[in-house]
């Protein structure tokens, strides 16, 4: 009986694995549906209708084995790579400012060995890993501003500052949201977090106001019809797609907005195509699948036997949840328009591989969980460590 219980506790969370696999398979179907007409009529893809589906299939073939391999790789070893991960992230963010490809006045992509990567995507996970490792070791001082919160703010500030130089304000805000959530999970004092929130909101408003194009993008989502052929164009086409889908949709491959009306329909706005072709029901099923993964991730974080694994599982879940929240928010007009991929579904190699790798780590952490919330986790999430002077 005891041996059987141990084996059960060490079993990988196959429910997450199955859900991720189904989302990836569904993503291939939707990318082909959303991109074929555009790719067939665009010079940049050499008029090849299979361009995006072929590329996504290659990245999936690379990323899926990485996820499986990491599910067997002891996540505790990652704690020793926290400095390396952060340094690599910073080096890539600096390199893209010097050698990156410029597109629409911004340098966000870097060519390495013939492949384009977005360093900010790597930096999200590098920053998250460093913060989780630091807070797992320094949990006793996390309520101290000087010894706990300040070092983390410096890390967040450096990474977000480099992203802002690209410039990429939306990604910087997302990474700031991630850092803030991790500070809360890591046990920082509520008073410090409250004042930090006020400071961040003020800084966000200042950065938006000093650049007219940022302010225009931020305000266009409130009334996109003020500039229907400019800043509001993408959102209006997204509304048309979602609205025309109705309850059950027009049917797979029957989207009209993908016929050169909706831009980035295969990537940033693929959820709009899903809603148009599969309707409210199809969109809801996808959201439920994402919600299920988030629920299981929180469950793993609460039941992990050690503090680092608990914080790392929480960090991966937070990154995943923020990415989905921002993408769906943009497509539905709840957030200002910005380019963020929908995990496992949107076209995009670096995003797909990184999120599959993150799921592999989460699956490995699930092997170190028990049937109930662990005392170490209760201490991390509930008990307030004794404050340290400073």
């Amino acid at each position: 009986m005891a041996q059987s219980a141990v084996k059960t506790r060490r079993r990988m969370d196959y429910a997450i694995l199955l859900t991720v696999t189904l989302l990836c398979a569904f993503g291939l179907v939707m990318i082909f549906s959303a991109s074929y007409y555009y790719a067939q009529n665009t010079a940049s893809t050499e008029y090849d209708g299979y361009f995006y589906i072929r590329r996504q299939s290659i990245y999936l073939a690379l990323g899926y084995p990485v996820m499986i391999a990491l599910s067997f790789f002891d996540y505790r070893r990652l704690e020793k790579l926290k400095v390396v991960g952060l340094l690599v992230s910073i080096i890539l963010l600096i390199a893209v400012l010097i050698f990156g490809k410029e597109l629409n006045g911004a340098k966000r992509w870097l060519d390495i060995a013939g492949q384009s990567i977005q360093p900010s995507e790597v930096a999200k996970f590098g920053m998250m890993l460093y913060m989780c490792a630091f807070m797992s070791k320094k949990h006793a001082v996390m309520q101290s501003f000087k010894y706990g919160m300040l070092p983390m703010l410096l890390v967040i500030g450096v990474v977000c500052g480099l992203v802002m130089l690209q410039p990429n304000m939306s990604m910087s805000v997302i990474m700031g949201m991630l850092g803030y959530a991790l500070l809360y999970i890591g046990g920082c004092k509520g008073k410090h977090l409250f004042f930090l929130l006020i400071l961040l909101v003020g800084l966000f408003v200042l950065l938006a106001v000093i650049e007219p194009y940022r302010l225009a993008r931020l305000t266009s989502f409130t009334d996109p019809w003020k500039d229907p052929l400019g800043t509001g164009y993408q959102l209006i086409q997204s509304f048309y797609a979602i609205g025309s889908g109705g309850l059950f949709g027009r049917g797979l491959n029957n989207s009209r907005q993908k016929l050169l009306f909706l831009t980035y329909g295969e990537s940033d706005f693929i959820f709009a195509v899903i809603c148009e072709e599969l309707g409210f029901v199809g969109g809801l099923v996808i959201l439920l699948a994402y919600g299920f993964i988030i629920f299981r991730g929180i469950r793993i974080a609460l039941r992990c036997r050690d503090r680092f694994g608990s914080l790392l599982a929480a960090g991966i879940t937070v990154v995943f949840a923020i990415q989905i929240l921002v993408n769906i928010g943009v497509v539905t007009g709840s957030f200002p328009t910005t380019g963020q991929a929908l995990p496992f579904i949107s076209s995009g190699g670096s995003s797909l591989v990184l999120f599959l790798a993150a799921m592999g780590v989460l699956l490995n952490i699930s092997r170190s969980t028990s049937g109930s919330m662990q005392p170490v986790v209760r201490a991390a999430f509930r008990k307030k460590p004794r404050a340290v002077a400073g």
Side-chain angles (χ1 to χ4, degrees):
M1 292 290 291
Q3 290 180 350
S4 177
V6 170
K7 289 181 180 179
T8 301
R9 288 197 300 268
R10 292 184 178 275
R11 185 178 299 167
M12 183 173 65
D13 193 327
Y14 288 103
I16 290 181
L17 178 62
L18 177 61
T19 307
V20 169
T21 302
L22 291 176
L23 283 172
C24 288
F26 176 75
L28 290 179
V29 174
M30 290 311 305
I31 287 172
F32 180 66
S33 176
S35 68
Y36 181 81
Y37 185 85
Y38 171 79
Q40 195 178 37
N41 292 275
T42 306
S44 62
T45 60
E46 298 180 353
Y47 304 101
D48 179 7
Y50 298 95
F51 176 84
Y52 289 103
I53 182 65
R54 184 187 300 112
R55 187 178 65 175
Q56 191 76 357
S57 298
I58 292 172
Y59 281 116
L60 180 58
L62 294 173
Y64 199 86
V66 170
M67 177 181 68
I68 299 301
L70 287 175
S71 70
F72 292 96
F73 180 82
D74 189 355
Y75 68 88
R76 298 173 188 85
R77 297 182 183 179
L78 294 174
E79 192 170 7
K80 300 177 181 178
L81 301 176
K82 63 177 182 179
V83 176
V84 174
L86 183 62
L87 288 177
V88 169
S89 300
I90 292 174
I91 290 171
L92 288 175
L93 289 175
I94 294 174
V96 77
L97 296 175
I98 302 172
F99 306 107
K101 295 187 297 184
E102 186 167 344
L103 182 64
N104 297 326
K107 291 185 176 182
R108 301 176 183 177
W109 295 90
L110 192 64
D111 284 334
I112 299 178
Q115 298 295 322
S116 292
I117 67 167
Q118 195 171 1
S120 57
E121 291 286 346
V122 178
K124 267 194 304 192
F125 291 97
M127 183 184 79
M128 182 267 293
L129 175 61
Y130 185 88
M131 291 183 67
C132 291
F134 179 94
M135 292 188 296
S136 68
K137 291 293 185 182
K138 305 288 185 178
H139 62 274
V141 299
M142 285 312 299
Q143 289 212 324
S144 163
F145 178 79
K146 182 178 180 180
Y147 298 103
M149 192 172 187
L150 183 58
M152 295 293 90
L153 289 178
L154 291 175
V155 171
I156 297 171
V158 169
V159 174
C160 290
L162 288 172
V163 174
M164 278 296 299
L165 292 176
Q166 293 180 4
N168 192 347
M169 184 176 177
S170 58
M171 178 61 80
S172 182
V173 170
I174 290 171
M175 297 179 77
M177 292 168 59
L178 168 62
Y180 189 88
L182 289 175
L183 288 174
Y184 173 78
I185 295 170
C188 287
K189 190 177 291 187
K191 179 176 67 175
H192 294 159
L193 290 171
F194 175 74
F195 287 114
L196 176 62
L197 180 61
I198 294 176
L199 177 63
L200 291 176
V201 171
L203 182 61
F204 174 80
V205 173
L206 177 64
L207 291 172
V209 170
I210 61 177
E211 287 288 351
Y213 81 92
R214 291 177 189 155
L215 186 60
R217 177 172 290 185
L218 287 173
T219 55
S220 66
F221 83 103
T222 60
D223 186 6
W225 281 272
K226 284 184 178 180
D227 188 11
L229 298 179
T231 56
Y233 178 81
Q234 282 179 296
L235 187 54
I236 290 173
Q237 299 306 316
S238 179
F239 286 164
Y240 287 156
I242 295 172
S244 63
L247 187 61
F248 296 106
R250 294 179 178 276
L252 188 63
N253 199 36
N254 289 328
S255 167
R256 293 177 182 174
Q257 295 309 117
K258 70 182 181 183
L259 305 179
L260 305 184
F261 295 105
L262 179 65
T263 55
Y264 304 110
E266 78 287 345
S267 54
D268 302 341
F269 282 82
I270 197 168
F271 188 72
V273 177
I274 292 172
C275 290
E276 184 180 7
E277 295 190 349
L278 304 179
F280 172 81
V281 173
L284 181 61
V285 170
I286 298 304
L287 293 180
L288 289 175
Y290 283 135
F292 178 74
I293 295 175
I294 293 170
F295 166 74
R296 301 292 288 196
I298 295 172
R299 185 172 179 266
I300 292 169
L302 292 174
R303 296 186 175 187
C304 186
R305 297 189 183 100
D306 68 276
R307 191 178 303 275
F308 174 65
S310 175
L311 290 173
L312 188 58
I316 291 171
T317 305
V318 167
V319 173
F320 183 70
I322 289 176
Q323 188 87 5
I324 295 165
L325 175 67
V326 172
N327 180 276
I328 302 298
V330 168
V331 171
T332 57
S334 303
F335 294 159
T337 302
T338 182
Q340 293 298 318
L342 190 62
F344 311 128
I345 295 180
S346 289
S347 174
S350 57
S351 175
L352 177 63
V353 172
L354 285 170
F355 272 107
L356 284 173
M359 286 298 115
V361 175
L362 186 62
L363 289 172
N364 184 259
I365 299 173
S366 71
R367 296 175 182 272
S368 297
T369 57
S370 65
S372 60
M373 187 186 295
Q374 292 297 295
V376 65
V377 178
R378 285 198 291 268
F381 283 88
R382 294 181 179 178
K383 292 182 181 179
K384 300 296 184 183
R386 184 164 41 186
V388 176

